[in-house]
Amino acid sequence: MAGPDLIKTLLYTVNNLLLQEKYKAALAVLKGFRNGAVYGAKIRAPHALVMTFLFRSGSLKDKLKAILKATYTHSRNLACFVFTYKGLQALQERVQGKTLQSHSFLAACVGGWLVFGDNNNINSQINMYLLSRILFALSRLAVEKGFIPQPKHDPFPLFATLVWGIVLWLFEYYPHTLQPSLQSSMNYLYHDSNVWHDISDFLVYNKPRTAAQK
């Protein structure tokens, strides 16, 4: 019975440690690392699975390797960023004895430079995703703070009009400026739909099976 008793004692000790207020900041950094790793994997794995099997050529082994690599990279980067961000926030608060808005900004700037500053496909997708969100958020904040007047009409239709007009213009005439995954998606939607040979690659397949297998 020594085994179960030892496990109970160990669990009691660990749980007691986790409830100690003096360790909360450090433990929050560790849990942030854990949450970043889990969330990154949960977000990237299904996306990589779909995009790889839709648009990537090669053997099943190569495709699985690509999925695992993308999932690992996203998971690792997000975990490292959360760890860095929360750690620097806690350090600034400890040094200055209070929490300031600048702490969040500076900690995230350092984390962004260290983790997401490497120009690769995963980081590019994440940074562009965030850019679209912060532009929306800053627009709303500008209205809340009174820097720009409250629109009399919903600006979303105009926003959608410009977004789709610009992205399709870029795709048709300057596709090299767009991210590769977006180019692949748009090629599938707008260019591949211009080509077919018979009913098989008109309704069943996107391209003739012989071409797709090469």
Side-chain angles (χ1 to χ4, degrees):
M1 298 297 291
D5 290 339
L6 181 61
I7 293 175
K8 287 182 180 179
T9 302
L10 183 61
L11 287 175
Y12 174 81
T13 303
V14 171
N15 287 332
N16 186 56
L17 177 67
L18 292 175
L19 295 176
Q20 296 294 317
E21 188 65 27
K22 60 182 178 179
Y23 301 128
K24 187 172 183 179
L27 293 171
V29 173
L30 292 177
K31 185 171 183 183
F33 181 89
R34 177 264 179 200
N35 284 6
V38 171
Y39 187 78
K42 289 171 69 174
I43 291 297
R44 177 57 56 175
H47 177 270
L49 178 69
V50 172
M51 297 302 290
T52 298
F53 278 96
L54 274 179
F55 301 117
R56 191 184 183 96
S57 59
S59 66
L60 178 61
K61 183 179 179 180
D62 291 338
K63 291 179 179 179
L64 291 177
K65 280 185 177 180
I67 293 168
L68 290 175
K69 182 179 179 181
T71 302
Y72 168 75
T73 301
H74 195 145
S75 177
R76 179 200 63 197
N77 286 6
L78 198 54
C80 290
F81 176 82
V82 177
F83 181 88
T84 303
Y85 171 72
K86 291 181 69 68
L88 290 177
Q89 266 197 316
L91 179 62
Q92 290 177 97
E93 182 180 354
R94 184 177 181 83
V95 169
Q96 295 191 277
K98 58 183 178 179
T99 301
L100 301 174
Q101 289 190 24
S102 61
H103 291 173
S104 177
F105 179 77
L106 291 174
C109 282
V110 173
W113 179 67
L114 292 174
V115 179
F116 293 112
D118 184 23
N119 189 3
N120 56 55
N121 289 338
I122 301 298
N123 287 349
S124 180
Q125 289 174 359
I126 295 172
N127 289 336
M128 287 192 292
Y129 172 88
L130 290 177
L131 176 62
S132 65
R133 267 54 181 179
I134 65 173
L135 290 177
F136 258 92
L138 288 173
S139 298
R140 294 188 179 110
L141 185 61
V143 173
E144 287 182 11
K145 298 295 185 180
F147 296 128
I148 59 175
Q150 177 72 41
K152 296 180 179 179
H153 304 287
D154 184 5
F156 193 83
L158 177 60
F159 162 76
T161 301
L162 292 175
V163 165
W164 284 97
I166 292 171
V167 75
L168 265 299
W169 168 69
L170 288 171
F171 170 68
E172 296 291 0
Y173 297 101
Y174 305 97
H176 63 280
T177 63
L178 299 174
Q179 191 189 29
S181 63
L182 181 57
Q183 290 183 46
S184 297
S185 299
M186 290 196 159
N187 271 320
Y188 183 87
L189 292 170
Y190 306 113
H191 287 179
D192 289 357
S193 56
N194 292 332
V195 180
W196 62 87
H197 303 85
D198 54 36
I199 191 67
S200 66
D201 60 346
F202 185 81
L203 287 180
V204 182
Y205 304 104
N206 178 46
K207 296 180 180 179
R209 297 194 68 185
T210 53
Q213 290 173 348
K214 290 181 180 180

